[in-house]
Amino acid sequence: MWPRADRPSYGSFVAAEAKALAEAGVDVHVHVIAGDTNPLSYATDIASIRRQARSGCFDIVHAHYGLAGWTASWQPLPLVVSFCGTDLLGGHAERGARALIARLATRMSWVAARRARVIICKSEALRARLPRAEDRERAVVLANGVNLSLFAPGDRDAARRRLGWSLDEPIVLFPYDPARQVKRYALAAAAVAEGRRRVSDARLVTVANVPQQQMPDFYRAADCLLVTSRYEGSPNTVKEALACGLPVVSVDVGDARAWTTRVQGCSIVAAEPGPLGAAVADVLSRRDRLNPGAIRPLLDQRTTTARLVECYRSALTQ
């Protein structure tokens, strides 16, 4: 998971974490396993990571995602593995050959957890999916932080002008590729269709493959963020939207409830078009922004980076 030209948003949270670590004084070298284009890379990259680990240049290997953790578990340095979502949650919703592949990936993630000195889960729900009690007990729950200098409230009309949007149209933001079935675009579309019973001109806008630097304008310009995912670890879009003051309507997925209940103006509702549509219509009828002042310090990436450095120190001293 690392941004590239054809997928500028892919793994942007990992890139942001690496940058924050470097700013905190950690010497970071990135090795990208191109597993999304060549799944065999999870096996063929083992030798390269072993050579780098034995070079004497590094103290820690930190793998993001369970499959990358499996690849990194064959080298001699202390291993930290961050589990992000589908690595522990993905298999239960698949069918046929995809289900077999997902189950294999999950079992490889379990191996990575057993071999890691420090296990990081992005949410409590992810920690609960670790199969061994001893791994659940030692796992650290640490969600991704938010760059508060980038994701901050701003002028909605100015953001809409930059994006070329109408100043008056009620807009619901769906910040995922509709082709990703796990995000359930069809449910989001059905929910907005229900919402139009009360707010007739509501429009659903999808945003995918947008560089992270450009995302704040979408959060500032929209009236509501809609999350309908079948499963998530800790959805970064929810935290980024809250940091920008955008109301969130979400199904009960990942740690969305833990964050949205900290501010007024958000809703966690059943994964059905009717309740979702009613909640969206409520937000669009008000067209109010959130007051994120109290939650922004809890989202601060500097805090999560400091905790991550402590995880590294723990791995080194075990």
Side-chain angles (χ1 to χ4, degrees), residues 158-220:
R160 288 195 171 206
R161 290 189 184 98
R162 287 190 291 270
L163 295 174
W165 292 2
S166 163
L167 297 184
D168 300 320
E169 192 174 23
I171 292 181
V172 180
L173 185 66
F174 185 82
Y176 306 107
D177 182 350
R180 295 186 63 192
Q181 294 185 2
V182 66
K183 303 301 183 181
R184 295 197 287 196
Y185 173 77
L187 176 58
V192 174
E194 287 289 328
R196 290 194 189 101
R197 296 175 183 270
R198 287 174 50 193
V199 183
S200 60
D201 53 347
R203 181 162 70 98
L204 180 64
V205 173
T206 62
V207 179
N209 286 328
V210 171
Q212 190 180 45
Q213 294 289 330
Q214 298 176 18
M215 281 303 299
D217 264 351
F218 289 93
Y219 293 128
R220 294 167 186 148

Short mmCIF file of all heavy atoms in Angstrom, two decimals, residues 158-220:
data_model
loop_
_atom_site.label_atom_id
_atom_site.label_comp_id
_atom_site.label_asym_id
_atom_site.label_seq_id
_atom_site.Cartn_x
_atom_site.Cartn_y
_atom_site.Cartn_z
N ALA A 158 -15.85 28.57 -1.13
CA ALA A 158 -14.57 28.68 -1.81
C ALA A 158 -14.11 27.31 -2.31
O ALA A 158 -13.59 27.17 -3.44
CB ALA A 158 -13.52 29.28 -0.88
N ALA A 159 -14.32 26.28 -1.48
CA ALA A 159 -13.96 24.92 -1.90
C ALA A 159 -14.79 24.48 -3.09
O ALA A 159 -14.29 23.85 -4.02
CB ALA A 159 -14.12 23.96 -0.73
N ARG A 160 -16.07 24.80 -3.07
CA ARG A 160 -16.95 24.42 -4.20
C ARG A 160 -16.53 25.13 -5.49
O ARG A 160 -16.59 24.54 -6.57
CB ARG A 160 -18.41 24.72 -3.85
CG ARG A 160 -18.97 23.76 -2.81
CD ARG A 160 -20.48 23.82 -2.73
NE ARG A 160 -20.99 22.74 -1.89
CZ ARG A 160 -22.20 22.21 -2.00
NH1 ARG A 160 -23.03 22.65 -2.94
NH2 ARG A 160 -22.59 21.24 -1.20
N ARG A 161 -16.13 26.36 -5.38
CA ARG A 161 -15.68 27.07 -6.58
C ARG A 161 -14.43 26.40 -7.15
O ARG A 161 -14.30 26.27 -8.38
CB ARG A 161 -15.41 28.54 -6.25
CG ARG A 161 -16.68 29.34 -5.94
CD ARG A 161 -16.35 30.83 -5.83
NE ARG A 161 -17.55 31.59 -5.43
CZ ARG A 161 -17.80 31.96 -4.17
NH1 ARG A 161 -16.95 31.64 -3.19
NH2 ARG A 161 -18.91 32.63 -3.89
N ARG A 162 -13.53 26.01 -6.28
CA ARG A 162 -12.31 25.36 -6.77
C ARG A 162 -12.63 24.03 -7.44
O ARG A 162 -11.94 23.62 -8.40
CB ARG A 162 -11.33 25.14 -5.61
CG ARG A 162 -10.64 26.41 -5.13
CD ARG A 162 -9.52 26.12 -4.16
NE ARG A 162 -9.97 25.62 -2.89
CZ ARG A 162 -10.26 26.37 -1.83
NH1 ARG A 162 -10.15 27.69 -1.92
NH2 ARG A 162 -10.66 25.83 -0.69
N LEU A 163 -13.65 23.33 -6.95
CA LEU A 163 -14.02 22.03 -7.53
C LEU A 163 -15.00 22.16 -8.69
O LEU A 163 -15.29 21.17 -9.36
CB LEU A 163 -14.65 21.15 -6.43
CG LEU A 163 -13.73 20.74 -5.28
CD1 LEU A 163 -14.52 20.00 -4.21
CD2 LEU A 163 -12.57 19.88 -5.79
N GLY A 164 -15.53 23.36 -8.91
CA GLY A 164 -16.50 23.55 -9.97
C GLY A 164 -17.89 23.05 -9.63
O GLY A 164 -18.68 22.73 -10.53
N TRP A 165 -18.22 23.01 -8.33
CA TRP A 165 -19.53 22.55 -7.89
C TRP A 165 -20.48 23.74 -7.74
O TRP A 165 -20.07 24.87 -7.47
CB TRP A 165 -19.43 21.84 -6.54
CG TRP A 165 -18.71 20.54 -6.55
CD1 TRP A 165 -18.09 19.94 -7.62
CD2 TRP A 165 -18.50 19.67 -5.43
NE1 TRP A 165 -17.52 18.76 -7.23
CE2 TRP A 165 -17.76 18.56 -5.90
CE3 TRP A 165 -18.87 19.71 -4.10
CZ2 TRP A 165 -17.37 17.51 -5.06
CZ3 TRP A 165 -18.50 18.67 -3.26
CH2 TRP A 165 -17.76 17.58 -3.74
N SER A 166 -21.79 23.44 -7.84
CA SER A 166 -22.82 24.43 -7.56
C SER A 166 -22.74 24.83 -6.09
O SER A 166 -22.46 24.00 -5.21
CB SER A 166 -24.20 23.85 -7.87
OG SER A 166 -25.22 24.61 -7.25
N LEU A 167 -23.01 26.09 -5.80
CA LEU A 167 -22.94 26.57 -4.42
C LEU A 167 -24.14 26.13 -3.60
O LEU A 167 -24.08 26.11 -2.36
CB LEU A 167 -22.82 28.10 -4.39
CG LEU A 167 -21.57 28.70 -5.04
CD1 LEU A 167 -21.56 30.22 -4.83
CD2 LEU A 167 -20.30 28.08 -4.48
N ASP A 168 -25.24 25.78 -4.26
CA ASP A 168 -26.49 25.52 -3.54
C ASP A 168 -26.88 24.05 -3.48
O ASP A 168 -27.72 23.66 -2.67
CB ASP A 168 -27.64 26.31 -4.18
CG ASP A 168 -27.39 27.81 -4.14
OD1 ASP A 168 -26.87 28.29 -3.11
OD2 ASP A 168 -27.69 28.48 -5.14
N GLU A 169 -26.32 23.22 -4.32
CA GLU A 169 -26.74 21.83 -4.43
C GLU A 169 -26.34 21.03 -3.20
O GLU A 169 -25.18 21.04 -2.80
CB GLU A 169 -26.11 21.21 -5.67
CG GLU A 169 -26.68 19.88 -6.07
CD GLU A 169 -26.09 19.40 -7.39
OE1 GLU A 169 -24.98 19.84 -7.75
OE2 GLU A 169 -26.75 18.58 -8.05
N PRO A 170 -27.29 20.31 -2.56
CA PRO A 170 -26.92 19.44 -1.43
C PRO A 170 -26.12 18.24 -1.93
O PRO A 170 -26.59 17.49 -2.79
CB PRO A 170 -28.27 19.01 -0.85
CG PRO A 170 -29.28 19.94 -1.45
CD PRO A 170 -28.74 20.33 -2.78
N ILE A 171 -24.92 18.05 -1.39
CA ILE A 171 -24.02 17.03 -1.92
C ILE A 171 -23.61 16.05 -0.82
O ILE A 171 -23.19 16.45 0.27
CB ILE A 171 -22.77 17.66 -2.55
CG1 ILE A 171 -23.18 18.41 -3.82
CG2 ILE A 171 -21.71 16.62 -2.86
CD1 ILE A 171 -22.05 19.07 -4.56
N VAL A 172 -23.76 14.76 -1.15
CA VAL A 172 -23.32 13.67 -0.28
C VAL A 172 -22.04 13.09 -0.88
O VAL A 172 -22.01 12.74 -2.07
CB VAL A 172 -24.40 12.57 -0.19
CG1 VAL A 172 -23.94 11.43 0.71
CG2 VAL A 172 -25.71 13.17 0.32
N LEU A 173 -21.02 12.98 -0.09
CA LEU A 173 -19.72 12.51 -0.56
C LEU A 173 -19.53 11.03 -0.28
O LEU A 173 -19.70 10.58 0.86
CB LEU A 173 -18.61 13.31 0.12
CG LEU A 173 -17.18 13.03 -0.34
CD1 LEU A 173 -16.98 13.47 -1.80
CD2 LEU A 173 -16.17 13.76 0.57
N PHE A 174 -19.17 10.27 -1.32
CA PHE A 174 -18.84 8.86 -1.21
C PHE A 174 -17.38 8.71 -1.67
O PHE A 174 -17.12 8.64 -2.86
CB PHE A 174 -19.77 8.01 -2.08
CG PHE A 174 -19.58 6.52 -1.94
CD1 PHE A 174 -20.16 5.82 -0.90
CD2 PHE A 174 -18.81 5.82 -2.87
CE1 PHE A 174 -19.98 4.45 -0.78
CE2 PHE A 174 -18.63 4.45 -2.75
CZ PHE A 174 -19.22 3.76 -1.70
N PRO A 175 -16.43 8.68 -0.73
CA PRO A 175 -15.01 8.81 -1.10
C PRO A 175 -14.33 7.48 -1.43
O PRO A 175 -13.22 7.19 -0.94
CB PRO A 175 -14.41 9.44 0.15
CG PRO A 175 -15.21 8.85 1.26
CD PRO A 175 -16.61 8.68 0.72
N TYR A 176 -14.98 6.66 -2.24
CA TYR A 176 -14.44 5.35 -2.58
C TYR A 176 -14.72 5.05 -4.05
O TYR A 176 -15.64 5.60 -4.66
CB TYR A 176 -15.08 4.24 -1.73
CG TYR A 176 -15.01 4.46 -0.24
CD1 TYR A 176 -16.16 4.80 0.48
CD2 TYR A 176 -13.82 4.31 0.45
CE1 TYR A 176 -16.11 4.98 1.85
CE2 TYR A 176 -13.76 4.50 1.82
CZ TYR A 176 -14.90 4.83 2.52
OH TYR A 176 -14.86 5.02 3.87
N ASP A 177 -13.96 4.12 -4.58
CA ASP A 177 -14.20 3.63 -5.94
C ASP A 177 -15.48 2.78 -5.93
O ASP A 177 -15.55 1.79 -5.21
CB ASP A 177 -13.00 2.78 -6.38
CG ASP A 177 -13.13 2.27 -7.81
OD1 ASP A 177 -14.22 2.40 -8.40
OD2 ASP A 177 -12.14 1.71 -8.31
N PRO A 178 -16.49 3.14 -6.71
CA PRO A 178 -17.74 2.35 -6.71
C PRO A 178 -17.54 0.90 -7.11
O PRO A 178 -18.37 0.05 -6.77
CB PRO A 178 -18.60 3.09 -7.75
CG PRO A 178 -18.08 4.48 -7.78
CD PRO A 178 -16.60 4.34 -7.56
N ALA A 179 -16.44 0.60 -7.80
CA ALA A 179 -16.20 -0.78 -8.23
C ALA A 179 -15.76 -1.67 -7.08
O ALA A 179 -15.82 -2.91 -7.20
CB ALA A 179 -15.14 -0.81 -9.33
N ARG A 180 -15.35 -1.11 -5.97
CA ARG A 180 -14.92 -1.92 -4.82
C ARG A 180 -16.17 -2.40 -4.07
O ARG A 180 -16.82 -1.63 -3.37
CB ARG A 180 -14.02 -1.10 -3.89
CG ARG A 180 -12.70 -0.69 -4.52
CD ARG A 180 -11.81 -0.01 -3.50
NE ARG A 180 -11.47 -0.92 -2.42
CZ ARG A 180 -10.89 -0.54 -1.27
NH1 ARG A 180 -10.63 0.75 -1.07
NH2 ARG A 180 -10.61 -1.42 -0.33
N GLN A 181 -16.47 -3.67 -4.23
CA GLN A 181 -17.72 -4.20 -3.70
C GLN A 181 -17.83 -4.07 -2.19
O GLN A 181 -18.93 -3.92 -1.65
CB GLN A 181 -17.89 -5.65 -4.12
CG GLN A 181 -18.06 -5.84 -5.62
CD GLN A 181 -18.34 -7.27 -6.01
OE1 GLN A 181 -18.46 -8.15 -5.16
NE2 GLN A 181 -18.44 -7.51 -7.30
N VAL A 182 -16.69 -4.12 -1.51
CA VAL A 182 -16.73 -4.04 -0.06
C VAL A 182 -17.27 -2.68 0.41
O VAL A 182 -17.80 -2.57 1.53
CB VAL A 182 -15.33 -4.29 0.53
CG1 VAL A 182 -14.36 -3.18 0.15
CG2 VAL A 182 -15.37 -4.45 2.04
N LYS A 183 -17.18 -1.65 -0.42
CA LYS A 183 -17.65 -0.31 -0.04
C LYS A 183 -19.16 -0.15 -0.25
O LYS A 183 -19.75 0.81 0.21
CB LYS A 183 -16.91 0.76 -0.83
CG LYS A 183 -15.40 0.70 -0.68
CD LYS A 183 -14.95 0.85 0.76
CE LYS A 183 -13.44 0.85 0.88
NZ LYS A 183 -12.97 0.97 2.28
N ARG A 184 -19.79 -1.07 -0.99
CA ARG A 184 -21.24 -1.11 -1.18
C ARG A 184 -21.80 0.21 -1.74
O ARG A 184 -22.66 0.86 -1.14
CB ARG A 184 -21.94 -1.51 0.11
CG ARG A 184 -21.62 -2.92 0.57
CD ARG A 184 -22.59 -3.45 1.57
NE ARG A 184 -22.45 -2.85 2.88
CZ ARG A 184 -22.96 -3.34 4.00
NH1 ARG A 184 -23.66 -4.47 3.96
NH2 ARG A 184 -22.81 -2.73 5.16
N TYR A 185 -21.32 0.57 -2.91
CA TYR A 185 -21.82 1.78 -3.57
C TYR A 185 -23.32 1.69 -3.83
O TYR A 185 -24.04 2.69 -3.71
CB TYR A 185 -21.08 2.02 -4.88
CG TYR A 185 -21.66 3.16 -5.69
CD1 TYR A 185 -21.41 4.48 -5.33
CD2 TYR A 185 -22.47 2.90 -6.79
CE1 TYR A 185 -21.97 5.53 -6.06
CE2 TYR A 185 -23.02 3.95 -7.53
CZ TYR A 185 -22.77 5.25 -7.15
OH TYR A 185 -23.32 6.28 -7.87
N ALA A 186 -23.80 0.50 -4.19
CA ALA A 186 -25.23 0.35 -4.49
C ALA A 186 -26.07 0.73 -3.28
O ALA A 186 -27.14 1.35 -3.42
CB ALA A 186 -25.53 -1.08 -4.92
N LEU A 187 -25.61 0.38 -2.09
CA LEU A 187 -26.34 0.76 -0.87
C LEU A 187 -26.31 2.27 -0.68
O LEU A 187 -27.32 2.88 -0.31
CB LEU A 187 -25.73 0.05 0.33
CG LEU A 187 -26.32 0.40 1.71
CD1 LEU A 187 -27.82 0.11 1.75
CD2 LEU A 187 -25.58 -0.38 2.81
N ALA A 188 -25.16 2.89 -0.95
CA ALA A 188 -25.06 4.35 -0.82
C ALA A 188 -26.00 5.04 -1.80
O ALA A 188 -26.70 6.01 -1.44
CB ALA A 188 -23.62 4.79 -1.05
N ALA A 189 -26.04 4.55 -3.04
CA ALA A 189 -26.92 5.15 -4.05
C ALA A 189 -28.39 5.00 -3.66
O ALA A 189 -29.19 5.93 -3.82
CB ALA A 189 -26.65 4.52 -5.41
N ALA A 190 -28.74 3.82 -3.12
CA ALA A 190 -30.12 3.58 -2.70
C ALA A 190 -30.48 4.48 -1.53
O ALA A 190 -31.61 4.99 -1.43
CB ALA A 190 -30.32 2.12 -2.34
N ALA A 191 -29.52 4.70 -0.63
CA ALA A 191 -29.77 5.57 0.52
C ALA A 191 -30.03 7.01 0.09
O ALA A 191 -30.96 7.67 0.58
CB ALA A 191 -28.58 5.51 1.48
N VAL A 192 -29.22 7.50 -0.84
CA VAL A 192 -29.42 8.87 -1.32
C VAL A 192 -30.74 8.98 -2.08
O VAL A 192 -31.44 10.00 -2.00
CB VAL A 192 -28.23 9.32 -2.19
CG1 VAL A 192 -28.49 10.68 -2.82
CG2 VAL A 192 -26.96 9.37 -1.33
N ALA A 193 -31.10 7.95 -2.82
CA ALA A 193 -32.40 7.94 -3.50
C ALA A 193 -33.53 8.07 -2.49
O ALA A 193 -34.52 8.79 -2.71
CB ALA A 193 -32.55 6.67 -4.33
N GLU A 194 -33.40 7.36 -1.35
CA GLU A 194 -34.40 7.50 -0.28
C GLU A 194 -34.38 8.91 0.29
O GLU A 194 -35.43 9.50 0.59
CB GLU A 194 -34.11 6.48 0.82
CG GLU A 194 -34.45 5.05 0.47
CD GLU A 194 -35.95 4.83 0.40
OE1 GLU A 194 -36.69 5.50 1.15
OE2 GLU A 194 -36.39 3.99 -0.41
N GLY A 195 -33.17 9.46 0.46
CA GLY A 195 -33.06 10.81 1.01
C GLY A 195 -33.71 11.86 0.13
O GLY A 195 -34.17 12.90 0.64
N ARG A 196 -33.78 11.59 -1.17
CA ARG A 196 -34.39 12.57 -2.09
C ARG A 196 -35.90 12.70 -1.87
O ARG A 196 -36.52 13.64 -2.40
CB ARG A 196 -34.12 12.17 -3.53
CG ARG A 196 -32.67 12.34 -3.95
CD ARG A 196 -32.51 12.27 -5.47
NE ARG A 196 -31.10 12.21 -5.82
CZ ARG A 196 -30.46 11.10 -6.16
NH1 ARG A 196 -31.13 9.95 -6.21
NH2 ARG A 196 -29.19 11.12 -6.47
N ARG A 197 -36.50 11.79 -1.11
CA ARG A 197 -37.92 11.95 -0.80
C ARG A 197 -38.14 13.23 -0.01
O ARG A 197 -39.22 13.83 -0.06
CB ARG A 197 -38.43 10.75 0.00
CG ARG A 197 -38.37 9.41 -0.76
CD ARG A 197 -38.78 8.27 0.16
NE ARG A 197 -38.68 6.98 -0.50
CZ ARG A 197 -39.65 6.41 -1.20
NH1 ARG A 197 -40.82 7.03 -1.33
NH2 ARG A 197 -39.48 5.24 -1.78
N ARG A 198 -37.13 13.65 0.75
CA ARG A 198 -37.23 14.88 1.54
C ARG A 198 -36.38 16.01 0.97
O ARG A 198 -36.75 17.17 1.06
CB ARG A 198 -36.80 14.60 2.98
CG ARG A 198 -37.81 13.80 3.78
CD ARG A 198 -37.25 13.44 5.15
NE ARG A 198 -36.70 14.59 5.86
CZ ARG A 198 -35.93 14.49 6.94
NH1 ARG A 198 -35.63 13.29 7.43
NH2 ARG A 198 -35.47 15.57 7.54
N VAL A 199 -35.22 15.65 0.41
CA VAL A 199 -34.33 16.65 -0.17
C VAL A 199 -34.17 16.28 -1.64
O VAL A 199 -33.30 15.51 -2.02
CB VAL A 199 -32.96 16.68 0.55
CG1 VAL A 199 -32.08 17.79 -0.02
CG2 VAL A 199 -33.16 16.87 2.05
N SER A 200 -35.04 16.82 -2.46
CA SER A 200 -35.21 16.31 -3.82
C SER A 200 -34.00 16.51 -4.71
O SER A 200 -33.79 15.76 -5.67
CB SER A 200 -36.43 16.98 -4.47
OG SER A 200 -36.25 18.39 -4.53
N ASP A 201 -33.16 17.52 -4.42
CA ASP A 201 -32.03 17.80 -5.30
C ASP A 201 -30.71 17.26 -4.75
O ASP A 201 -29.63 17.67 -5.20
CB ASP A 201 -31.91 19.30 -5.56
CG ASP A 201 -31.87 20.12 -4.28
OD1 ASP A 201 -32.17 19.56 -3.20
OD2 ASP A 201 -31.54 21.32 -4.35
N ALA A 202 -30.77 16.35 -3.79
CA ALA A 202 -29.54 15.77 -3.24
C ALA A 202 -28.78 15.01 -4.32
O ALA A 202 -29.37 14.34 -5.16
CB ALA A 202 -29.88 14.84 -2.08
N ARG A 203 -27.46 15.13 -4.28
CA ARG A 203 -26.62 14.46 -5.27
C ARG A 203 -25.52 13.69 -4.58
O ARG A 203 -24.90 14.18 -3.62
CB ARG A 203 -26.01 15.47 -6.24
CG ARG A 203 -25.13 14.84 -7.32
CD ARG A 203 -24.93 15.78 -8.49
NE ARG A 203 -24.10 16.92 -8.15
CZ ARG A 203 -22.79 17.00 -8.43
NH1 ARG A 203 -22.18 15.98 -9.01
NH2 ARG A 203 -22.11 18.09 -8.13
N LEU A 204 -25.28 12.46 -5.06
CA LEU A 204 -24.20 11.62 -4.54
C LEU A 204 -22.98 11.81 -5.43
O LEU A 204 -23.04 11.60 -6.64
CB LEU A 204 -24.63 10.15 -4.53
CG LEU A 204 -23.60 9.14 -4.01
CD1 LEU A 204 -23.29 9.40 -2.54
CD2 LEU A 204 -24.12 7.72 -4.20
N VAL A 205 -21.87 12.21 -4.83
CA VAL A 205 -20.62 12.43 -5.56
C VAL A 205 -19.59 11.41 -5.09
O VAL A 205 -19.33 11.29 -3.89
CB VAL A 205 -20.08 13.86 -5.34
CG1 VAL A 205 -18.70 14.02 -5.96
CG2 VAL A 205 -21.04 14.88 -5.91
N THR A 206 -19.01 10.67 -6.03
CA THR A 206 -17.96 9.71 -5.69
C THR A 206 -16.60 10.33 -5.98
O THR A 206 -16.42 11.06 -6.96
CB THR A 206 -18.11 8.41 -6.50
OG1 THR A 206 -17.98 8.71 -7.89
CG2 THR A 206 -19.46 7.78 -6.24
N VAL A 207 -15.66 10.01 -5.11
CA VAL A 207 -14.29 10.50 -5.27
C VAL A 207 -13.35 9.32 -5.06
O VAL A 207 -13.40 8.65 -4.02
CB VAL A 207 -13.96 11.61 -4.24
CG1 VAL A 207 -12.52 12.07 -4.41
CG2 VAL A 207 -14.91 12.78 -4.40
N ALA A 208 -12.52 9.05 -6.05
CA ALA A 208 -11.56 7.95 -5.96
C ALA A 208 -10.28 8.35 -6.67
O ALA A 208 -10.29 9.15 -7.61
CB ALA A 208 -12.15 6.68 -6.59
N ASN A 209 -9.17 7.80 -6.20
CA ASN A 209 -7.86 8.05 -6.79
C ASN A 209 -7.51 9.53 -6.83
O ASN A 209 -6.95 10.04 -7.81
CB ASN A 209 -7.77 7.45 -8.20
CG ASN A 209 -7.65 5.94 -8.16
OD1 ASN A 209 -7.07 5.38 -7.23
ND2 ASN A 209 -8.20 5.27 -9.15
N VAL A 210 -7.84 10.23 -5.76
CA VAL A 210 -7.48 11.63 -5.61
C VAL A 210 -6.32 11.72 -4.61
O VAL A 210 -6.39 11.13 -3.53
CB VAL A 210 -8.68 12.46 -5.10
CG1 VAL A 210 -8.26 13.87 -4.74
CG2 VAL A 210 -9.77 12.51 -6.16
N PRO A 211 -5.24 12.42 -4.94
CA PRO A 211 -4.13 12.56 -4.00
C PRO A 211 -4.60 13.13 -2.67
O PRO A 211 -5.52 13.98 -2.62
CB PRO A 211 -3.18 13.52 -4.71
CG PRO A 211 -3.49 13.36 -6.16
CD PRO A 211 -4.97 13.09 -6.22
N GLN A 212 -3.97 12.70 -1.59
CA GLN A 212 -4.41 13.11 -0.26
C GLN A 212 -4.40 14.63 -0.10
O GLN A 212 -5.27 15.19 0.58
CB GLN A 212 -3.51 12.47 0.80
CG GLN A 212 -4.03 12.66 2.22
CD GLN A 212 -3.14 12.02 3.25
OE1 GLN A 212 -1.92 12.16 3.20
NE2 GLN A 212 -3.72 11.30 4.19
N GLN A 213 -3.46 15.31 -0.72
CA GLN A 213 -3.37 16.76 -0.59
C GLN A 213 -4.61 17.47 -1.11
O GLN A 213 -4.89 18.60 -0.73
CB GLN A 213 -2.13 17.27 -1.33
CG GLN A 213 -0.80 16.82 -0.74
CD GLN A 213 -0.49 17.49 0.58
OE1 GLN A 213 -0.90 18.63 0.82
NE2 GLN A 213 0.22 16.82 1.45
N GLN A 214 -5.35 16.82 -2.02
CA GLN A 214 -6.53 17.44 -2.61
C GLN A 214 -7.83 17.11 -1.87
O GLN A 214 -8.85 17.76 -2.11
CB GLN A 214 -6.67 17.02 -4.07
CG GLN A 214 -5.50 17.44 -4.96
CD GLN A 214 -5.64 16.93 -6.38
OE1 GLN A 214 -6.72 16.55 -6.81
NE2 GLN A 214 -4.53 16.90 -7.11
N MET A 215 -7.79 16.13 -0.99
CA MET A 215 -9.02 15.68 -0.35
C MET A 215 -9.68 16.71 0.57
O MET A 215 -10.92 16.76 0.65
CB MET A 215 -8.77 14.39 0.42
CG MET A 215 -8.73 13.15 -0.46
SD MET A 215 -10.24 12.91 -1.45
CE MET A 215 -11.49 12.75 -0.17
N PRO A 216 -8.93 17.57 1.28
CA PRO A 216 -9.62 18.51 2.17
C PRO A 216 -10.68 19.35 1.48
O PRO A 216 -11.73 19.63 2.07
CB PRO A 216 -8.47 19.37 2.70
CG PRO A 216 -7.30 18.46 2.71
CD PRO A 216 -7.47 17.62 1.47
N ASP A 217 -10.47 19.76 0.22
CA ASP A 217 -11.49 20.55 -0.46
C ASP A 217 -12.78 19.78 -0.64
O ASP A 217 -13.87 20.37 -0.58
CB ASP A 217 -10.97 21.03 -1.82
CG ASP A 217 -10.39 22.43 -1.76
OD1 ASP A 217 -10.54 23.10 -0.72
OD2 ASP A 217 -9.76 22.87 -2.75
N PHE A 218 -12.70 18.48 -0.87
CA PHE A 218 -13.91 17.68 -1.02
C PHE A 218 -14.68 17.61 0.30
O PHE A 218 -15.92 17.69 0.31
CB PHE A 218 -13.57 16.28 -1.53
CG PHE A 218 -13.12 16.23 -2.96
CD1 PHE A 218 -11.78 16.30 -3.28
CD2 PHE A 218 -14.05 16.15 -3.99
CE1 PHE A 218 -11.36 16.27 -4.61
CE2 PHE A 218 -13.65 16.13 -5.31
CZ PHE A 218 -12.30 16.19 -5.62
N TYR A 219 -13.96 17.47 1.40
CA TYR A 219 -14.62 17.44 2.70
C TYR A 219 -15.23 18.80 3.04
O TYR A 219 -16.31 18.88 3.64
CB TYR A 219 -13.62 17.05 3.79
CG TYR A 219 -13.10 15.64 3.70
CD1 TYR A 219 -11.73 15.38 3.71
CD2 TYR A 219 -13.96 14.55 3.61
CE1 TYR A 219 -11.24 14.09 3.63
CE2 TYR A 219 -13.49 13.26 3.52
CZ TYR A 219 -12.11 13.03 3.53
OH TYR A 219 -11.64 11.75 3.45
N ARG A 220 -14.55 19.87 2.68
CA ARG A 220 -15.08 21.21 2.96
C ARG A 220 -16.27 21.56 2.08
O ARG A 220 -17.17 22.28 2.50
CB ARG A 220 -13.98 22.25 2.76
CG ARG A 220 -12.83 22.14 3.76
CD ARG A 220 -11.65 22.97 3.32
NE ARG A 220 -10.49 22.76 4.20
CZ ARG A 220 -9.22 22.81 3.81
NH1 ARG A 220 -8.95 23.09 2.54
NH2 ARG A 220 -8.24 22.60 4.67
#
